[in-house]
Amino acid sequence: MDKGNTYEVKDLKLAEQGKKNIELAESHMGALLTVKRRFEKEKPLKGIRIGLALHVTKETAVLIGTLIAGGAEVAITGCNPLSTQDDVAAALAKEGVRVWAYKGESKEDYYRYITSVIAFRPHITIDDGCDLVSEIHKRHTQLIPEIIAGCEETTTGIIRLKAMEKDKALKYPMIAVNDNKTKHLLDNYYGTGQSTIDGILRATNVLFAGKNVIVAGYGSCGKGVSMRARGFGANVIITEVDNFRALQARYDGFAVMPMTEAVAKGDIFITVTGDKHVLRKEHFQAMKDGAMLANSGHFDIEIDLEGLKAISKDVRRMRPFLDEYTLTSGRRVYVCGEGRLVNLAAAEGHPSEVMATSFCGQALACEYAVRNRGKMRPDVITLPEEIDDRIAALQLQAMGITIDQLTPDQKKYLSSWEEGT
Ligand SMILES: NC(=O)c1ccc[n+]([C@@H]2O[C@H](COP(=O)([O-])OP(=O)(O)OC[C@H]3O[C@@H](n4cnc5c(N)ncnc54)[C@H](O)[C@@H]3O)[C@@H](O)[C@H]2O)c1
């Protein structure tokens, strides 16, 4: 480990590689770069301290560059023990950014680093999964009067925040960046769709064509994963607990059945529910020999690994990010990425293009928070639709795509009721 006053990273010598990867990411993040150029001129975040607990990836580094261009000071740690890209963390540390993160963090280091970000006394928090906000509310409430707002990146974080809001435990406003259309309908769908398959391939190099792939959860992430798995020639089966989502899955052409039934058919299982113990003892026991399990939901509890260990007589690491569990029955089950977000543990997370729009959401949410300082209630709030629309327009522009505009006559027609049959 390399340590200094403002950083703790794996190896500073990786910085040069990290810098190149950040450059590559930047070249696909046109929308965010447009925001960065405006921020450089207008400095909307001048004097603002922003504390982040986000996956420390090359795309996050581009977000950090954007916030700094806007005049902010930043401090960052990871939001998952296996998602940090060590070269990127090193590059950030070399550039003087406060950063505490390494891939494979212990739970103790994970929370120690969150405490370092909290000690920076952020005016704005940016979270992916709500751990930073949760720590501030549990142990550092004295900081709350100084905090303008928080921004949350993922579905699981929003679920936790809404529970806090319901219990009247939320003490500062939280902007649900995940709820932007340009986030959950692009990042969760196209991002998780591609990068989850990428993670499984890097961990196993298994052929998807002809396999039965069971996808648990048909939300934005599950839809993306199912679509991509089908694209690879897999036979996709969906499990759900929500009637409407199950119906959608069926109409999209997938078989739908309970896990107890799917379990005997599956070659590859992918959980993307945000729920716990979606795969558990009774399921493992009924799986085929050689079944492969991966999770792309936020926490590592979707696959009950304790339950799996309890019915296993042997566990071997076969290669990085692939563990073999031999059950007492003699059948083997393979777990990718220790049951953590497989796309970040075994691959590089989402492609830069989708992170461009997700992180425009974060940058513009910070600007919105500063502009509306003191005016927002301590609730979970969504950004105005106009901001979401602007983000889509920026990315289209970056991709050189133009679209039609409504004629005045069409505008009138679409906002009136008189014209009919
Ligand atoms: N891997 C990534 O990079 C990434 C990116 C975005 C979101 N996420 C995470 O992925 C998870 C899913 O996100 P989403 O946006 O698709 O959420 P979502 O709420 O849109 O969808 C989740 C779906 O899972 C279903 N579900 C819940 N419990 C279930 C169970 N026991 N069995 C079967 N289905 C069940 C729900 O009914 C729902 O339809 C969250 O934890 C989110 O934070 C991960």
Side-chain angles (χ1 to χ4, degrees):
M1 293 295 297
D2 278 336
K3 298 179 191 182
N5 286 339
T6 55
Y7 65 87
E8 193 162 314
V9 298
K10 186 92 159 200
D11 182 359
L12 277 179
K13 288 196 289 300
L14 300 171
E16 201 178 321
Q17 181 58 58
K19 205 161 168 275
K20 286 182 190 152
N21 277 333
I22 297 167
E23 249 180 65
L24 275 175
E26 232 173 19
S27 64
H28 295 287
M29 298 180 80
L32 189 59
L33 292 187
T34 310
V35 172
K36 184 179 179 186
R37 283 192 289 274
R38 179 171 67 75
F39 274 18
E40 262 157 10
K41 281 194 221 125
E42 298 176 8
K43 302 283 177 211
L45 307 175
K46 191 158 184 271
I48 301 294
R49 291 189 298 274
I50 303 181
L52 303 95
L54 278 189
H55 303 296
V56 181
T57 64
K58 56 193 188 304
E59 291 77 17
T60 301
V62 182
L63 170 64
I64 286 175
T66 306
L67 300 175
I68 292 172
E73 280 186 80
V74 302
I76 179 162
T77 184
C79 60
N80 186 292
L82 281 187
S83 65
T84 294
Q85 293 167 3
D86 287 320
D87 58 340
V88 171
L92 289 171
K94 264 266 164 79
E95 279 169 29
V97 174
R98 295 167 189 80
V99 54
W100 300 274
Y102 66 92
K103 190 171 181 115
E105 281 165 21
S106 62
K107 198 165 181 173
E108 192 193 22
D109 282 345
Y110 180 81
Y111 281 102
R112 188 163 59 84
Y113 295 163
I114 286 197
T115 308
S116 301
V117 170
I118 292 172
F120 170 67
R121 305 180 73 84
H123 298 113
I124 295 178
T125 58
I126 299 185
D127 240 313
D128 186 325
C130 193
D131 281 343
L132 179 56
V133 167
S134 164
E135 280 299 293
I136 290 174
H137 278 73
K138 280 185 203 151
R139 276 175 268 280
H140 305 274
T141 47
Q142 77 285 0
L143 296 186
I144 290 176
E146 265 193 288
I147 299 181
I148 303 169
C151 309
E152 172 53 52
E153 174 76 3
T154 198
T155 316
T156 283
I158 306 293
I159 290 171
R160 294 178 78 189
L161 289 171
K162 290 211 167 136
M164 287 172 80
E165 184 185 36
K166 190 162 156 264
D167 286 351
K168 304 213 178 324
L170 193 58
K171 299 295 179 215
Y172 64 86
M174 287 299 309
I175 302 176
V177 173
N178 179 71
D179 291 358
N180 288 351
K181 280 189 286 192
T182 50
K183 202 287 178 178
H184 73 281
L185 294 180
L186 301 182
D187 165 313
N188 301 24
Y189 191 87
Y190 301 101
T192 313
Q194 178 169 316
S195 60
T196 299
I197 308 287
D198 184 14
I200 298 171
L201 290 178
R202 292 197 206 191
T204 66
N205 198 29
V206 76
L207 181 72
F208 266 62
K211 294 279 191 311
N212 287 336
V213 173
I214 316 299
V215 178
Y218 202 64
S220 301
C221 293
K223 288 182 178 112
V225 170
S226 309
M227 175 178 66
R228 293 302 179 229
R230 175 154 68 186
F232 269 109
N235 173 41
V236 179
I237 298 171
I238 305 297
T239 70
E240 250 299 343
V241 292
D242 177 272
N243 292 324
F244 177 73
R245 292 266 169 93
L247 194 57
Q248 259 191 320
R250 187 69 198 112
Y251 288 170
D252 282 341
F254 299 112
V256 178
M257 60 187 73
M259 188 60 87
T260 42
E261 212 178 299
V263 86
K265 301 182 195 293
D267 300 302
I268 302 170
F269 293 79
I270 306 171
T271 53
V272 260
T273 67
D275 199 355
K276 71 185 284 196
H277 296 182
V278 178
L279 288 174
R280 46 187 186 269
K281 258 187 207 171
E282 70 257 33
H283 300 135
F284 306 133
Q285 269 156 341
M287 283 175 184
K288 293 187 203 173
D289 182 40
M292 290 180 170
L293 320 186
N295 167 52
S296 213
H298 189 76
F299 286 118
D300 61 341
I301 52 174
E302 301 214 13
I303 303 171
D304 176 13
L305 287 180
E306 286 306 312
L308 180 56
K309 260 185 222 138
I311 55 166
S312 298
K313 58 182 182 192
D314 190 29
V315 183
R316 288 195 295 166
R317 172 132 309 171
M318 302 305 286
R319 50 192 265 168
F321 312 115
L322 190 69
D323 294 334
E324 177 192 72
Y325 288 74
T326 306
L327 309 194
T328 43
S329 65
R331 273 187 280 190
R332 292 157 304 168
V333 165
Y334 294 88
V335 177
C336 301
E338 299 174 29
R340 293 198 182 275
L341 293 162
V342 70
N343 59 333
L344 282 138
E348 291 173 70
H350 297 346
S352 309
E353 289 86 342
V354 286
M355 294 318 296
T357 45
S358 302
F359 284 165
C360 273
Q362 290 291 1
L364 298 180
C366 290
E367 181 181 39
Y368 179 87
V370 173
R371 283 205 178 137
N372 291 282
R373 190 177 196 155
K375 293 187 218 149
M376 298 166 290
R377 292 183 41 78
D379 295 332
V380 179
I381 55 180
T382 45
L383 285 174
E385 230 181 289
E386 181 272 324
I387 294 183
D388 211 358
D389 183 58
R390 205 186 328 146
I391 295 171
L394 284 176
Q395 184 64 8
L396 283 172
Q397 192 187 29
M399 294 163 75
I401 298 170
T402 51
I403 62 168
D404 286 330
Q405 302 297 321
L406 292 171
T407 64
D409 191 36
Q410 285 170 335
K411 268 193 193 155
K412 187 164 166 256
Y413 172 72
L414 291 173
S415 58
S416 64
W417 55 273
E418 287 95 344
E419 256 184 81
T421 313

